[in-house]
PDB file of all heavy atoms in Angstrom:
ATOM      1  N   ARG W   1       0.773  25.525 -38.203  1.00 82.00           N
ATOM      2  CA  ARG W   1      -0.588  25.034 -38.387  1.00 82.00           C
ATOM      3  C   ARG W   1      -0.860  24.555 -39.781  1.00 82.00           C
ATOM      4  O   ARG W   1      -1.895  24.845 -40.380  1.00 82.00           O
ATOM      5  CB  ARG W   1      -1.608  26.130 -37.994  1.00 82.00           C
ATOM      6  CG  ARG W   1      -1.471  26.619 -36.567  1.00 82.00           C
ATOM      7  CD  ARG W   1      -2.691  27.453 -36.154  1.00 82.00           C
ATOM      8  NE  ARG W   1      -2.897  28.552 -37.047  1.00 82.00           N
ATOM      9  CZ  ARG W   1      -2.329  29.751 -36.928  1.00 82.00           C
ATOM     10  NH1 ARG W   1      -1.434  29.948 -35.988  1.00 82.00           N
ATOM     11  NH2 ARG W   1      -2.611  30.729 -37.778  1.00 82.00           N
ATOM     12  N   SER W   2       0.086  23.855 -40.344  1.00 86.00           N
ATOM     13  CA  SER W   2      -0.029  23.284 -41.706  1.00 86.00           C
ATOM     14  C   SER W   2      -0.196  24.361 -42.808  1.00 86.00           C
ATOM     15  O   SER W   2      -0.553  24.055 -43.928  1.00 86.00           O
ATOM     16  CB  SER W   2      -1.231  22.333 -41.795  1.00 86.00           C
ATOM     17  OG  SER W   2      -1.084  21.280 -40.904  1.00 86.00           O
ATOM     18  N   ARG W   3       0.154  25.593 -42.483  1.00 96.00           N
ATOM     19  CA  ARG W   3       0.019  26.646 -43.518  1.00 96.00           C
ATOM     20  C   ARG W   3       1.269  26.702 -44.389  1.00 96.00           C
ATOM     21  O   ARG W   3       1.218  27.276 -45.516  1.00 96.00           O
ATOM     22  CB  ARG W   3      -0.153  28.011 -42.819  1.00 96.00           C
ATOM     23  CG  ARG W   3      -1.397  28.128 -41.967  1.00 96.00           C
ATOM     24  CD  ARG W   3      -1.457  29.472 -41.280  1.00 96.00           C
ATOM     25  NE  ARG W   3      -0.330  29.640 -40.373  1.00 96.00           N
ATOM     26  CZ  ARG W   3       0.456  30.744 -40.339  1.00 96.00           C
ATOM     27  NH1 ARG W   3       0.222  31.756 -41.181  1.00 96.00           N
ATOM     28  NH2 ARG W   3       1.452  30.828 -39.491  1.00 96.00           N
ATOM     29  N   PHE W   4       2.393  26.199 -43.901  1.00 97.00           N
ATOM     30  CA  PHE W   4       3.632  26.290 -44.667  1.00 97.00           C
ATOM     31  C   PHE W   4       4.055  24.875 -45.104  1.00 97.00           C
ATOM     32  O   PHE W   4       3.838  23.911 -44.414  1.00 97.00           O
ATOM     33  CB  PHE W   4       4.767  26.862 -43.775  1.00 97.00           C
ATOM     34  CG  PHE W   4       4.513  28.248 -43.230  1.00 97.00           C
ATOM     35  CD1 PHE W   4       5.364  28.743 -42.282  1.00 97.00           C
ATOM     36  CD2 PHE W   4       3.471  29.025 -43.689  1.00 97.00           C
ATOM     37  CE1 PHE W   4       5.186  30.025 -41.749  1.00 97.00           C
ATOM     38  CE2 PHE W   4       3.246  30.305 -43.184  1.00 97.00           C
ATOM     39  CZ  PHE W   4       4.105  30.784 -42.205  1.00 97.00           C
ATOM     40  N   THR W   5       4.731  24.821 -46.265  1.00 96.00           N
ATOM     41  CA  THR W   5       5.234  23.564 -46.796  1.00 96.00           C
ATOM     42  C   THR W   5       6.709  23.718 -47.131  1.00 96.00           C
ATOM     43  O   THR W   5       7.053  24.582 -47.945  1.00 96.00           O
ATOM     44  CB  THR W   5       4.437  23.134 -48.029  1.00 96.00           C
ATOM     45  OG1 THR W   5       3.058  23.047 -47.724  1.00 96.00           O
ATOM     46  CG2 THR W   5       4.965  21.798 -48.554  1.00 96.00           C
ATOM     47  N   ILE W   6       7.535  22.912 -46.544  1.00 97.00           N
ATOM     48  CA  ILE W   6       8.967  22.933 -46.829  1.00 97.00           C
ATOM     49  C   ILE W   6       9.323  21.790 -47.766  1.00 97.00           C
ATOM     50  O   ILE W   6       8.788  20.686 -47.663  1.00 97.00           O
ATOM     51  CB  ILE W   6       9.795  22.825 -45.515  1.00 97.00           C
ATOM     52  CG1 ILE W   6      11.269  23.088 -45.770  1.00 97.00           C
ATOM     53  CG2 ILE W   6       9.600  21.458 -44.860  1.00 97.00           C
ATOM     54  CD1 ILE W   6      12.092  23.222 -44.504  1.00 97.00           C
ATOM     55  N   THR W   7      10.149  22.091 -48.735  1.00 97.00           N
ATOM     56  CA  THR W   7      10.654  21.057 -49.665  1.00 97.00           C
ATOM     57  C   THR W   7      12.144  21.348 -49.928  1.00 97.00           C
ATOM     58  O   THR W   7      12.616  22.432 -49.671  1.00 97.00           O
ATOM     59  CB  THR W   7       9.910  21.079 -50.985  1.00 97.00           C
ATOM     60  OG1 THR W   7       9.962  22.379 -51.565  1.00 97.00           O
ATOM     61  CG2 THR W   7       8.465  20.654 -50.851  1.00 97.00           C
ATOM     62  N   ARG W   8      12.847  20.342 -50.369  1.00 97.00           N
ATOM     63  CA  ARG W   8      14.231  20.520 -50.707  1.00 97.00           C
ATOM     64  C   ARG W   8      14.550  19.816 -51.992  1.00 97.00           C
ATOM     65  O   ARG W   8      13.952  18.772 -52.334  1.00 97.00           O
ATOM     66  CB  ARG W   8      15.192  20.028 -49.605  1.00 97.00           C
ATOM     67  CG  ARG W   8      15.169  18.548 -49.338  1.00 97.00           C
ATOM     68  CD  ARG W   8      15.971  18.178 -48.091  1.00 97.00           C
ATOM     69  NE  ARG W   8      17.404  18.241 -48.273  1.00 97.00           N
ATOM     70  CZ  ARG W   8      18.280  18.101 -47.300  1.00 97.00           C
ATOM     71  NH1 ARG W   8      17.895  17.916 -46.042  1.00 97.00           N
ATOM     72  NH2 ARG W   8      19.596  18.167 -47.536  1.00 97.00           N
ATOM     73  N   ASP W   9      15.469  20.409 -52.759  1.00 97.00           N
ATOM     74  CA  ASP W   9      15.902  19.822 -54.027  1.00 97.00           C
ATOM     75  C   ASP W   9      17.436  19.768 -53.963  1.00 97.00           C
ATOM     76  O   ASP W   9      18.115  20.761 -54.205  1.00 97.00           O
ATOM     77  CB  ASP W   9      15.426  20.676 -55.191  1.00 97.00           C
ATOM     78  CG  ASP W   9      15.760  20.074 -56.566  1.00 97.00           C
ATOM     79  OD1 ASP W   9      16.733  19.336 -56.661  1.00 97.00           O
ATOM     80  OD2 ASP W   9      15.004  20.367 -57.534  1.00 97.00           O
ATOM     81  N   ASN W  10      17.946  18.619 -53.609  1.00 96.00           N
ATOM     82  CA  ASN W  10      19.412  18.505 -53.440  1.00 96.00           C
ATOM     83  C   ASN W  10      20.174  18.713 -54.753  1.00 96.00           C
ATOM     84  O   ASN W  10      21.282  19.190 -54.749  1.00 96.00           O
ATOM     85  CB  ASN W  10      19.766  17.167 -52.820  1.00 96.00           C
ATOM     86  CG  ASN W  10      19.469  17.106 -51.318  1.00 96.00           C
ATOM     87  OD1 ASN W  10      18.737  17.958 -50.800  1.00 96.00           O
ATOM     88  ND2 ASN W  10      19.986  16.091 -50.666  1.00 96.00           N
ATOM     89  N   VAL W  11      19.554  18.338 -55.855  1.00 96.00           N
ATOM     90  CA  VAL W  11      20.218  18.535 -57.132  1.00 96.00           C
ATOM     91  C   VAL W  11      20.439  20.020 -57.419  1.00 96.00           C
ATOM     92  O   VAL W  11      21.509  20.450 -57.837  1.00 96.00           O
ATOM     93  CB  VAL W  11      19.416  17.877 -58.262  1.00 96.00           C
ATOM     94  CG1 VAL W  11      20.025  18.222 -59.644  1.00 96.00           C
ATOM     95  CG2 VAL W  11      19.329  16.393 -58.075  1.00 96.00           C
ATOM     96  N   LYS W  12      19.425  20.816 -57.119  1.00 97.00           N
ATOM     97  CA  LYS W  12      19.512  22.280 -57.322  1.00 97.00           C
ATOM     98  C   LYS W  12      20.151  22.969 -56.121  1.00 97.00           C
ATOM     99  O   LYS W  12      20.381  24.185 -56.196  1.00 97.00           O
ATOM    100  CB  LYS W  12      18.152  22.858 -57.624  1.00 97.00           C
ATOM    101  CG  LYS W  12      17.545  22.380 -58.920  1.00 97.00           C
ATOM    102  CD  LYS W  12      16.191  23.071 -59.176  1.00 97.00           C
ATOM    103  CE  LYS W  12      15.590  22.617 -60.514  1.00 97.00           C
ATOM    104  NZ  LYS W  12      14.250  23.216 -60.730  1.00 97.00           N
ATOM    105  N   ARG W  13      20.378  22.222 -55.050  1.00 97.00           N
ATOM    106  CA  ARG W  13      20.945  22.812 -53.817  1.00 97.00           C
ATOM    107  C   ARG W  13      20.008  23.841 -53.250  1.00 97.00           C
ATOM    108  O   ARG W  13      20.439  24.893 -52.724  1.00 97.00           O
ATOM    109  CB  ARG W  13      22.330  23.392 -54.065  1.00 97.00           C
ATOM    110  CG  ARG W  13      23.310  22.457 -54.713  1.00 97.00           C
ATOM    111  CD  ARG W  13      24.729  22.990 -54.641  1.00 97.00           C
ATOM    112  NE  ARG W  13      24.814  24.403 -54.936  1.00 97.00           N
ATOM    113  CZ  ARG W  13      25.032  24.904 -56.115  1.00 97.00           C
ATOM    114  NH1 ARG W  13      25.211  24.128 -57.182  1.00 97.00           N
ATOM    115  NH2 ARG W  13      25.132  26.216 -56.295  1.00 97.00           N
ATOM    116  N   LYS W  14      18.698  23.596 -53.326  1.00 98.00           N
ATOM    117  CA  LYS W  14      17.735  24.619 -52.872  1.00 98.00           C
ATOM    118  C   LYS W  14      16.746  24.023 -51.878  1.00 98.00           C
ATOM    119  O   LYS W  14      16.423  22.810 -51.904  1.00 98.00           O
ATOM    120  CB  LYS W  14      16.938  25.163 -54.056  1.00 98.00           C
ATOM    121  CG  LYS W  14      17.735  26.086 -54.967  1.00 98.00           C
ATOM    122  CD  LYS W  14      16.878  26.659 -56.060  1.00 98.00           C
ATOM    123  CE  LYS W  14      17.657  27.622 -56.914  1.00 98.00           C
ATOM    124  NZ  LYS W  14      16.803  28.204 -58.000  1.00 98.00           N
ATOM    125  N   VAL W  15      16.291  24.895 -50.996  1.00 98.00           N
ATOM    126  CA  VAL W  15      15.240  24.558 -50.051  1.00 98.00           C
ATOM    127  C   VAL W  15      14.171  25.627 -50.152  1.00 98.00           C
ATOM    128  O   VAL W  15      14.479  26.808 -50.285  1.00 98.00           O
ATOM    129  CB  VAL W  15      15.770  24.465 -48.597  1.00 98.00           C
ATOM    130  CG1 VAL W  15      14.677  24.065 -47.654  1.00 98.00           C
ATOM    131  CG2 VAL W  15      16.977  23.509 -48.514  1.00 98.00           C
ATOM    132  N   TYR W  16      12.916  25.204 -50.151  1.00 98.00           N
ATOM    133  CA  TYR W  16      11.811  26.113 -50.382  1.00 98.00           C
ATOM    134  C   TYR W  16      10.864  26.145 -49.156  1.00 98.00           C
ATOM    135  O   TYR W  16      10.781  25.160 -48.431  1.00 98.00           O
ATOM    136  CB  TYR W  16      10.996  25.672 -51.601  1.00 98.00           C
ATOM    137  CG  TYR W  16      11.784  25.524 -52.849  1.00 98.00           C
ATOM    138  CD1 TYR W  16      12.274  24.260 -53.248  1.00 98.00           C
ATOM    139  CD2 TYR W  16      12.085  26.614 -53.666  1.00 98.00           C
ATOM    140  CE1 TYR W  16      13.025  24.099 -54.393  1.00 98.00           C
ATOM    141  CE2 TYR W  16      12.819  26.452 -54.836  1.00 98.00           C
ATOM    142  CZ  TYR W  16      13.286  25.204 -55.197  1.00 98.00           C
ATOM    143  OH  TYR W  16      14.029  25.033 -56.350  1.00 98.00           O
ATOM    144  N   LEU W  17      10.211  27.248 -49.004  1.00 98.00           N
ATOM    145  CA  LEU W  17       9.158  27.355 -48.014  1.00 98.00           C
ATOM    146  C   LEU W  17       7.967  28.021 -48.679  1.00 98.00           C
ATOM    147  O   LEU W  17       7.981  29.234 -48.927  1.00 98.00           O
ATOM    148  CB  LEU W  17       9.595  28.128 -46.762  1.00 98.00           C
ATOM    149  CG  LEU W  17       8.592  28.138 -45.598  1.00 98.00           C
ATOM    150  CD1 LEU W  17       8.519  26.736 -44.990  1.00 98.00           C
ATOM    151  CD2 LEU W  17       8.984  29.149 -44.521  1.00 98.00           C
ATOM    152  N   ARG W  18       6.955  27.228 -48.971  1.00 98.00           N
ATOM    153  CA  ARG W  18       5.717  27.795 -49.519  1.00 98.00           C
ATOM    154  C   ARG W  18       4.842  28.165 -48.332  1.00 98.00           C
ATOM    155  O   ARG W  18       4.483  27.282 -47.529  1.00 98.00           O
ATOM    156  CB  ARG W  18       5.030  26.751 -50.384  1.00 98.00           C
ATOM    157  CG  ARG W  18       3.643  27.122 -50.839  1.00 98.00           C
ATOM    158  CD  ARG W  18       3.632  28.283 -51.824  1.00 98.00           C
ATOM    159  NE  ARG W  18       4.055  27.913 -53.144  1.00 98.00           N
ATOM    160  CZ  ARG W  18       4.075  28.755 -54.169  1.00 98.00           C
ATOM    161  NH1 ARG W  18       3.718  30.015 -54.011  1.00 98.00           N
ATOM    162  NH2 ARG W  18       4.450  28.345 -55.349  1.00 98.00           N
ATOM    163  N   MET W  19       4.426  29.399 -48.281  1.00 98.00           N
ATOM    164  CA  MET W  19       3.645  29.878 -47.176  1.00 98.00           C
ATOM    165  C   MET W  19       2.265  30.294 -47.662  1.00 98.00           C
ATOM    166  O   MET W  19       2.143  31.104 -48.587  1.00 98.00           O
ATOM    167  CB  MET W  19       4.327  31.077 -46.472  1.00 98.00           C
ATOM    168  CG  MET W  19       5.742  30.746 -45.990  1.00 98.00           C
ATOM    169  SD  MET W  19       6.488  32.014 -44.965  1.00 98.00           S
ATOM    170  CE  MET W  19       6.617  33.353 -46.138  1.00 98.00           C
ATOM    171  N   TYR W  20       1.200  29.775 -47.021  1.00 97.00           N
ATOM    172  CA  TYR W  20      -0.174  30.128 -47.321  1.00 97.00           C
ATOM    173  C   TYR W  20      -0.822  30.741 -46.101  1.00 97.00           C
ATOM    174  O   TYR W  20      -0.357  30.584 -44.978  1.00 97.00           O
ATOM    175  CB  TYR W  20      -0.942  28.854 -47.695  1.00 97.00           C
ATOM    176  CG  TYR W  20      -0.432  28.106 -48.884  1.00 97.00           C
ATOM    177  CD1 TYR W  20       0.447  27.033 -48.740  1.00 97.00           C
ATOM    178  CD2 TYR W  20      -0.841  28.419 -50.171  1.00 97.00           C
ATOM    179  CE1 TYR W  20       0.923  26.321 -49.841  1.00 97.00           C
ATOM    180  CE2 TYR W  20      -0.356  27.745 -51.290  1.00 97.00           C
ATOM    181  CZ  TYR W  20       0.510  26.686 -51.130  1.00 97.00           C
ATOM    182  OH  TYR W  20       0.969  25.987 -52.188  1.00 97.00           O
ATOM    183  N   ARG W  21      -1.968  31.380 -46.347  1.00 97.00           N
ATOM    184  CA  ARG W  21      -2.799  31.936 -45.265  1.00 97.00           C
ATOM    185  C   ARG W  21      -1.907  32.739 -44.300  1.00 97.00           C
ATOM    186  O   ARG W  21      -1.969  32.534 -43.044  1.00 97.00           O
ATOM    187  CB  ARG W  21      -3.533  30.829 -44.516  1.00 97.00           C
ATOM    188  CG  ARG W  21      -4.418  29.987 -45.455  1.00 97.00           C
ATOM    189  CD  ARG W  21      -5.484  29.190 -44.734  1.00 97.00           C
ATOM    190  NE  ARG W  21      -5.023  28.413 -43.663  1.00 97.00           N
ATOM    191  CZ  ARG W  21      -4.476  27.190 -43.764  1.00 97.00           C
ATOM    192  NH1 ARG W  21      -4.326  26.640 -44.962  1.00 97.00           N
ATOM    193  NH2 ARG W  21      -4.093  26.514 -42.701  1.00 97.00           N
ATOM    194  N   LEU W  22      -1.122  33.626 -44.835  1.00 98.00           N
ATOM    195  CA  LEU W  22      -0.212  34.407 -44.028  1.00 98.00           C
ATOM    196  C   LEU W  22      -0.987  35.279 -43.073  1.00 98.00           C
ATOM    197  O   LEU W  22      -2.094  35.771 -43.340  1.00 98.00           O
ATOM    198  CB  LEU W  22       0.690  35.241 -44.923  1.00 98.00           C
ATOM    199  CG  LEU W  22       1.807  34.442 -45.598  1.00 98.00           C
ATOM    200  CD1 LEU W  22       2.401  35.219 -46.756  1.00 98.00           C
ATOM    201  CD2 LEU W  22       2.883  34.070 -44.572  1.00 98.00           C
ATOM    202  N   ASP W  23      -0.365  35.547 -41.958  1.00 97.00           N
ATOM    203  CA  ASP W  23      -0.902  36.344 -40.851  1.00 97.00           C
ATOM    204  C   ASP W  23       0.136  37.427 -40.518  1.00 97.00           C
ATOM    205  O   ASP W  23       1.325  37.215 -40.700  1.00 97.00           O
ATOM    206  CB  ASP W  23      -1.101  35.413 -39.646  1.00 97.00           C
ATOM    207  CG  ASP W  23      -1.759  36.136 -38.479  1.00 97.00           C
ATOM    208  OD1 ASP W  23      -0.994  36.737 -37.672  1.00 97.00           O
ATOM    209  OD2 ASP W  23      -2.989  36.066 -38.357  1.00 97.00           O
ATOM    210  N   PRO W  24      -0.308  38.552 -40.046  1.00 97.00           N
ATOM    211  CA  PRO W  24       0.658  39.593 -39.648  1.00 97.00           C
ATOM    212  C   PRO W  24       1.714  39.107 -38.668  1.00 97.00           C
ATOM    213  O   PRO W  24       2.826  39.612 -38.640  1.00 97.00           O
ATOM    214  CB  PRO W  24      -0.215  40.695 -39.034  1.00 97.00           C
ATOM    215  CG  PRO W  24      -1.521  40.582 -39.770  1.00 97.00           C
ATOM    216  CD  PRO W  24      -1.709  39.119 -40.022  1.00 97.00           C
ATOM    217  N   GLU W  25       1.352  38.089 -37.872  1.00 96.00           N
ATOM    218  CA  GLU W  25       2.343  37.520 -36.919  1.00 96.00           C
ATOM    219  C   GLU W  25       3.487  36.800 -37.650  1.00 96.00           C
ATOM    220  O   GLU W  25       4.487  36.483 -37.055  1.00 96.00           O
ATOM    221  CB  GLU W  25       1.660  36.486 -36.014  1.00 96.00           C
ATOM    222  CG  GLU W  25       0.643  37.126 -35.048  1.00 96.00           C
ATOM    223  CD  GLU W  25       1.329  37.933 -33.971  1.00 96.00           C
ATOM    224  OE1 GLU W  25       2.295  37.412 -33.390  1.00 96.00           O
ATOM    225  OE2 GLU W  25       0.899  39.074 -33.705  1.00 96.00           O
ATOM    226  N   ASP W  26       3.313  36.542 -38.945  1.00 97.00           N
ATOM    227  CA  ASP W  26       4.389  35.900 -39.716  1.00 97.00           C
ATOM    228  C   ASP W  26       5.414  36.906 -40.218  1.00 97.00           C
ATOM    229  O   ASP W  26       6.403  36.530 -40.866  1.00 97.00           O
ATOM    230  CB  ASP W  26       3.784  35.165 -40.920  1.00 97.00           C
ATOM    231  CG  ASP W  26       2.853  34.056 -40.512  1.00 97.00           C
ATOM    232  OD1 ASP W  26       3.198  33.281 -39.569  1.00 97.00           O
ATOM    233  OD2 ASP W  26       1.773  33.923 -41.124  1.00 97.00           O
ATOM    234  N   THR W  27       5.180  38.189 -39.946  1.00 98.00           N
ATOM    235  CA  THR W  27       6.150  39.195 -40.377  1.00 98.00           C
ATOM    236  C   THR W  27       7.493  38.980 -39.674  1.00 98.00           C
ATOM    237  O   THR W  27       7.533  38.910 -38.425  1.00 98.00           O
ATOM    238  CB  THR W  27       5.626  40.592 -40.049  1.00 98.00           C
ATOM    239  OG1 THR W  27       4.473  40.850 -40.837  1.00 98.00           O
ATOM    240  CG2 THR W  27       6.672  41.665 -40.315  1.00 98.00           C
ATOM    241  N   ALA W  28       8.525  38.820 -40.434  1.00 98.00           N
ATOM    242  CA  ALA W  28       9.853  38.473 -39.900  1.00 98.00           C
ATOM    243  C   ALA W  28      10.871  38.407 -41.048  1.00 98.00           C
ATOM    244  O   ALA W  28      10.494  38.462 -42.214  1.00 98.00           O
ATOM    245  CB  ALA W  28       9.820  37.141 -39.189  1.00 98.00           C
ATOM    246  N   VAL W  29      12.125  38.303 -40.678  1.00 98.00           N
ATOM    247  CA  VAL W  29      13.156  37.941 -41.651  1.00 98.00           C
ATOM    248  C   VAL W  29      13.318  36.424 -41.586  1.00 98.00           C
ATOM    249  O   VAL W  29      13.494  35.860 -40.502  1.00 98.00           O
ATOM    250  CB  VAL W  29      14.452  38.687 -41.379  1.00 98.00           C
ATOM    251  CG1 VAL W  29      15.512  38.294 -42.399  1.00 98.00           C
ATOM    252  CG2 VAL W  29      14.256  40.192 -41.368  1.00 98.00           C
ATOM    253  N   TYR W  30      13.339  35.782 -42.735  1.00 98.00           N
ATOM    254  CA  TYR W  30      13.398  34.327 -42.807  1.00 98.00           C
ATOM    255  C   TYR W  30      14.789  33.883 -43.258  1.00 98.00           C
ATOM    256  O   TYR W  30      15.325  34.481 -44.249  1.00 98.00           O
ATOM    257  CB  TYR W  30      12.303  33.799 -43.755  1.00 98.00           C
ATOM    258  CG  TYR W  30      10.913  33.875 -43.092  1.00 98.00           C
ATOM    259  CD1 TYR W  30      10.308  35.094 -42.907  1.00 98.00           C
ATOM    260  CD2 TYR W  30      10.295  32.708 -42.677  1.00 98.00           C
ATOM    261  CE1 TYR W  30       9.040  35.143 -42.305  1.00 98.00           C
ATOM    262  CE2 TYR W  30       9.029  32.732 -42.061  1.00 98.00           C
ATOM    263  CZ  TYR W  30       8.444  33.985 -41.895  1.00 98.00           C
ATOM    264  OH  TYR W  30       7.177  34.030 -41.277  1.00 98.00           O
ATOM    265  N   TYR W  31      15.292  32.862 -42.654  1.00 98.00           N
ATOM    266  CA  TYR W  31      16.645  32.356 -42.945  1.00 98.00           C
ATOM    267  C   TYR W  31      16.620  30.833 -43.103  1.00 98.00           C
ATOM    268  O   TYR W  31      15.788  30.135 -42.554  1.00 98.00           O
ATOM    269  CB  TYR W  31      17.597  32.620 -41.733  1.00 98.00           C
ATOM    270  CG  TYR W  31      17.687  34.072 -41.297  1.00 98.00           C
ATOM    271  CD1 TYR W  31      16.780  34.602 -40.386  1.00 98.00           C
ATOM    272  CD2 TYR W  31      18.742  34.868 -41.747  1.00 98.00           C
ATOM    273  CE1 TYR W  31      16.887  35.919 -39.962  1.00 98.00           C
ATOM    274  CE2 TYR W  31      18.853  36.171 -41.334  1.00 98.00           C
ATOM    275  CZ  TYR W  31      17.952  36.711 -40.409  1.00 98.00           C
ATOM    276  OH  TYR W  31      18.090  37.973 -39.992  1.00 98.00           O
TER     277      TYR W  31
END
């Protein structure tokens, strides 16, 4: 619901997930 933003930086070999307005339903292990 547009709460999360994914970005990637190929130079740094990294991928990010910025999560906002978290809900208890978001409780999990993230991979």
Side-chain angles (χ1 to χ4, degrees):
R1 300 193 304 274
S2 300
R3 299 177 298 131
F4 300 171
T5 302
I6 189 171
T7 55
R8 65 189 286 173
D9 184 333
N10 284 16
V11 173
K12 294 182 178 178
R13 308 193 316 267
K14 289 184 176 180
V15 182
Y16 305 96
L17 187 69
R18 170 70 74 177
M19 304 190 294
Y20 299 96
R21 304 198 308 276
L22 284 163
D23 184 273
E25 293 289 313
D26 298 316
T27 295
V29 180
Y30 285 72
Y31 304 86

